[in-house]
Amino acid sequence: MADSTASSTPRTVPSHEDRPVYVIGGGPGGLAAAHALRAQGVRAVVLEKSDKVGASWRRHYDRLHLHTTRRLSALPGLAMPRSFGRWVSRDNVVRYLEKYAEYHQLEIVTGVEVSRIEPAPGGDGWLLHATGGRELTGSAVVVATGYNHTPHMPDWTGRDTYTGELLHAGDYRNPAPYAGRDVLVVGIGNTGAEIAVDLIEGGAQRVRLSVRTAPHIVRRSTAGWAAQFTGIVVRRLPVRLVDKLAGPMAKLSVPDLSAQGLPRPDTGLYSRVNEGSIPVQDVGLIDAVRKGQVEIVAAVDGFEDGKVVLADGARIGPDVVIAATGYVRALEGVVGHLGVLDERGKPVVHGAHCPDNAPGLFFSGYVNPISGMFRELAIDAVKIAKAIARGTGRQVSRLPS
């Protein structure tokens, strides 16, 4: 049964046969992996550093909805209720994750943060160093701490001297505190675009959106056809082919916003995806930009004399700066010493594949696919569970039949 208290203290398990698979992270990726392992008859213990599952989703801004459809966002073994609608809200995602843990009777220990993973003595299994000096020995480990783990705030010149309000998008909840104020949103990913629209609808006096590189913008749905469907169809196609097809489609569905400061990108849509830049799904940005409600300005270069300095030399004085500048995975302290991360701090492999030098160590949720994060987490969970059940050169603890 799911345990939502922080008082449970897992002990070091010395018995070779009793070592569970430890799943680090109680978000959608971790819960999906735990259930998939359980379905394979393998004991999985989820370690979650907060006091509840779905911690990162609880911190997202109020108006957030999945940009993927309800049907294609369910995790293995439990559909999302039809009452959630096609585009599931943040609060309903949290409800779903809570129900998922309860329904599948997952073994979850909260209040436990893993700080380091290393090979177990003798090279058989993995040793996890965790909160309170715990040392836990697992037969295998699934790291699922999330793509959006730690907010990234650029080290802008003069940032510490800025006298206005400066916050990361991770601390933004709703537009109420910004009504009647002049706000600059930095970054035109999906988060920045949606916050800009939220601010306009919530009564901000002025909203500017700072853009370094013009993004690809797609309609979330066109005549009932969700953008996610297209993402699934094209995901395995050659990059150059998708780039070639996407150009004419964009011209048909998205107006030219060059006059408003958002020219069409000069690189292909799928090429940008492979570089880590997911298209912006329109939830009102196009109309807001066309109407002049959201003003596009240049990238932020720094701060000086209480002003924001832009890349084109302009200086502006907003009351508030909201940095929608992304997140980092923050895996270096946990696994960086194992040589399993690339130069950007992401796992060198993910899903059912282990790094060559780390058998039994799996990663889930560290890519941002255009086919939908929840969908890919669900697929990866099943693949990872099957790989562990088949055996990765390690004994695993089996659930009683």
Side-chain angles (χ1 to χ4, degrees):
M1 181 168 295
D3 180 2
S4 61
T5 68
S7 59
S8 298
T9 304
R11 59 186 177 85
T12 301
V13 184
S15 170
H16 183 82
E17 290 78 13
D18 291 341
R19 294 175 179 175
V21 174
Y22 281 111
V23 179
I24 306 174
L31 298 181
H35 164 62
L37 284 161
R38 187 180 180 89
Q40 292 289 326
V42 176
R43 183 187 172 207
V45 178
V46 178
L47 304 177
E48 168 54 48
K49 71 176 182 179
S50 71
D51 61 349
K52 296 177 181 177
V53 300
S56 64
W57 275 90
R58 297 173 191 274
R59 295 192 297 268
H60 286 314
Y61 50 93
D62 294 351
R63 74 171 279 157
L64 178 65
H65 285 68
L66 289 177
H67 290 165
T68 53
T69 65
R70 170 182 52 82
R71 284 189 175 185
L72 294 179
S73 299
L75 302 179
L78 185 66
M80 287 187 172
R82 293 185 65 180
S83 60
F84 284 3
R86 194 182 196 196
W87 313 107
V88 182
S89 70
R90 178 205 64 183
D91 289 347
N92 280 335
V93 169
V94 172
R95 293 187 184 99
Y96 174 72
L97 296 178
E98 290 175 336
K99 180 64 177 180
Y100 192 86
E102 177 186 2
Y103 180 81
H104 290 304
Q105 298 184 317
L106 302 181
E107 191 173 350
I108 302 170
V109 185
T110 58
V112 175
E113 182 175 8
V114 175
S115 57
R116 185 178 175 89
I117 301 172
E118 58 189 18
D124 187 13
W126 293 94
L127 179 64
L128 286 67
H129 298 272
T131 306
R134 294 172 175 88
E135 292 187 347
L136 313 172
T137 306
S139 56
V141 175
V142 181
V143 182
T145 51
Y147 190 84
N148 294 332
H149 186 274
T150 301
H152 169 65
M153 179 72 80
D155 187 21
W156 286 304
T157 302
R159 189 184 78 184
D160 295 340
T161 65
Y162 180 58
T163 56
E165 184 178 351
L166 172 64
L167 67 151
H168 189 272
D171 296 317
Y172 175 89
R173 294 294 172 269
N174 59 65
Y178 312 102
R181 303 175 74 184
D182 183 341
V183 186
L184 172 68
V185 180
V186 183
I188 194 173
N190 278 292
T191 296
E194 188 158 6
I195 287 176
V197 173
D198 199 32
L199 289 164
I200 285 296
E201 294 178 355
Q205 184 266 328
R206 185 178 189 180
V207 177
R208 285 173 282 199
L209 184 56
S210 172
V211 177
R212 184 171 298 278
T213 304
H216 286 274
I217 302 175
V218 299
R219 302 284 188 182
R220 186 170 66 174
S221 179
T222 303
W225 179 267
Q228 182 187 14
F229 299 163
T230 303
I232 293 170
V233 170
V234 306
R235 192 170 181 219
R236 303 299 179 188
L237 295 178
V239 172
R240 293 178 67 179
L241 175 60
V242 178
D243 285 349
K244 188 174 182 179
L245 294 173
M249 292 300 298
K251 291 180 179 179
L252 287 173
S253 61
V254 177
D256 185 0
L257 300 174
S258 298
Q260 290 79 28
L262 273 183
R264 297 190 188 277
D266 55 8
T267 53
L269 183 149
Y270 208 17
S271 293
R272 292 278 288 275
V273 169
N274 283 347
E275 295 169 359
S277 179
I278 295 296
V280 171
Q281 294 206 19
D282 177 47
V283 291
L285 180 67
I286 292 173
D287 284 345
V289 170
R290 292 179 72 182
K291 295 175 182 178
Q293 296 171 324
V294 172
E295 305 168 47
I296 303 300
V297 298
V300 172
D301 263 3
F303 296 83
E304 187 176 308
D305 297 329
K307 302 289 186 180
V308 179
V309 182
L310 302 179
D312 60 3
R315 293 169 180 257
I316 60 176
D319 303 318
V320 184
V321 176
I322 300 175
T325 47
Y327 295 78
V328 294
R329 278 23 84 192
L331 292 170
E332 288 80 2
V334 182
V335 297
H337 56 287
L338 299 174
V340 296
L341 304 178
D342 64 18
E343 65 280 359
R344 296 178 295 175
K346 295 182 180 180
V348 293
V349 295
H350 68 278
H353 302 286
C354 299
D356 292 339
N357 61 333
L361 181 62
F362 298 85
F363 296 90
S364 180
Y366 297 99
V367 294
N368 195 11
I370 78 176
S371 48
M373 177 68 83
F374 273 53
R375 177 181 182 272
E376 297 303 324
L377 287 174
I379 293 171
D380 279 351
V382 174
K383 291 180 178 179
I384 289 170
K386 289 180 177 179
I388 291 174
R390 286 195 303 266
T392 60
R394 310 197 181 277
Q395 299 271 343
V396 295
S397 177
R398 294 282 172 175
L399 293 168
S401 58

